[in-house]
Amino acid sequence: MGKGYNGFVLKMMRAKDYRLTVSSTEALTDKYVRLGFAGGGLLKDHPVHPTQFVRMWIPEEGSETLHHRGYTIIDQDPDGDRFWIEFALHDGPAANWARAAAVGDQVECTVMGSDFTLPDPLPAEFLIFGDTASLPAVNSLLDAIGDIPARIWLEWQYESDTTLPVRTGPKDQLTWVQRVDDGRLMRELARDIDCPKDAFVWAACDAFTTRSIAKTLQTTHELPKSAVKARGYWK
């Protein structure tokens, strides 16, 4: 199967490829599945960090082209060469593959561009905007920041989404926000919240909403660009 133009570009950038093997499957809800993977040596080459991600090459039945999708890896165990990836299920090649995945199945991935580090010095508060697609990254970030308080807003599309585990601590505040009008409520929320001048923002929703949130935090709330980390997780 072919990786197309994206594969060519990553190869020219000397990105390294790995073959992952499914080691476990678990349905967290009717719309969310968690797969365990043997890493094929990936974690020996790439140190663990919050929001760490890989670029998976997803096969599709009846097609010779592999689909390129980015996914966060969580609960990394470098000594055991294993980690987990969670998939929000919808109608698409990656979701369909994850829905049908079985122990022993293999999939290729490429590592390139995953380099997030926590701000230094750490802020007084984190403001986190996400959804079910970025929830694994949100959870890895919450694990990493420890006792620093965070306010977290997560978009939901299905009622079962709000039952997904979020790794909040006693100082954190979690709000689930229904996705309507292509993310309008999240964009309005970013405009209306109380935003301390020493906060750090991490935003990862759909690309349009993420760009809007980042712009609002920098213009309306006057946060410096260095205090806002934004990445569109889907289109």
Side-chain angles (χ1 to χ4, degrees):
M1 290 188 177
K3 296 180 179 178
Y5 178 73
N6 285 326
F8 172 76
V9 171
L10 289 169
K11 185 175 181 180
M12 292 299 293
M13 297 176 70
R14 298 184 179 181
K16 194 166 183 179
D17 295 328
Y18 299 87
R19 182 170 292 275
L20 311 181
T21 303
V22 177
S23 58
S24 65
T25 67
E26 179 185 4
L28 298 185
T29 73
D30 57 328
K31 298 292 184 180
Y32 217 80
V33 65
R34 175 182 170 98
L35 303 183
F37 289 93
L42 186 154
L43 294 178
K44 294 180 181 179
D45 298 335
H46 302 279
V48 172
H49 59 269
T51 75
Q52 187 173 8
F53 69 90
V54 298
R55 302 170 186 270
M56 299 182 72
W57 297 98
I58 305 294
E60 182 179 16
E61 186 175 356
S63 174
E64 292 299 317
T65 300
L66 295 170
H67 295 269
H68 175 240
R69 300 288 186 272
Y71 281 94
T72 304
I73 62 176
I74 57 174
D75 297 333
Q76 301 95 317
D77 175 11
D79 292 336
D81 188 32
R82 60 179 181 171
F83 50 79
W84 281 258
I85 298 177
E86 295 176 353
F87 297 79
L89 301 180
H90 50 83
D91 184 21
N96 294 339
W97 178 85
R99 188 181 286 111
V103 173
D105 287 353
Q106 293 190 327
V107 63
E108 292 184 65
C109 80
T110 301
V111 178
M112 187 71 186
S114 183
D115 58 1
F116 176 72
T117 57
L118 292 176
D120 184 15
L122 290 169
E125 182 181 29
F126 280 83
L127 306 180
I128 300 173
F129 300 82
D131 55 22
T132 55
S134 61
L135 177 56
V138 170
N139 278 331
S140 75
L141 181 58
L142 291 173
D143 284 345
I145 66 178
D147 293 334
I148 297 176
R151 280 182 283 161
I152 308 108
W153 296 272
L154 297 175
E155 271 194 322
W156 65 272
Q157 297 189 54
Y158 308 103
E159 289 188 4
S160 60
D161 290 346
T162 60
T163 69
L164 291 168
V166 184
R167 300 177 183 181
T168 52
K171 297 180 181 179
D172 299 333
Q173 178 183 320
L174 170 65
T175 303
W176 285 96
V177 180
Q178 185 174 11
R179 180 171 176 81
V180 297
D181 301 336
D182 298 323
R184 173 177 57 83
L185 296 182
M186 288 289 272
R187 295 192 296 272
E188 292 176 350
L189 188 149
R191 179 195 65 203
D192 297 336
I193 63 170
D194 171 37
C195 179
K197 298 300 182 183
D198 56 353
F200 183 89
V201 175
W202 189 91
C205 302
D206 69 273
F208 176 73
T209 299
T210 301
R211 286 194 299 270
S212 176
I213 290 172
K215 182 178 180 180
T216 296
L217 271 295
Q218 293 175 57
T219 56
T220 303
H221 298 293
E222 300 181 340
L223 287 183
K225 187 176 182 179
S226 60
V228 179
K229 177 67 173 180
R231 179 185 291 272
Y233 264 50
W234 56 282
K235 296 182 179 179

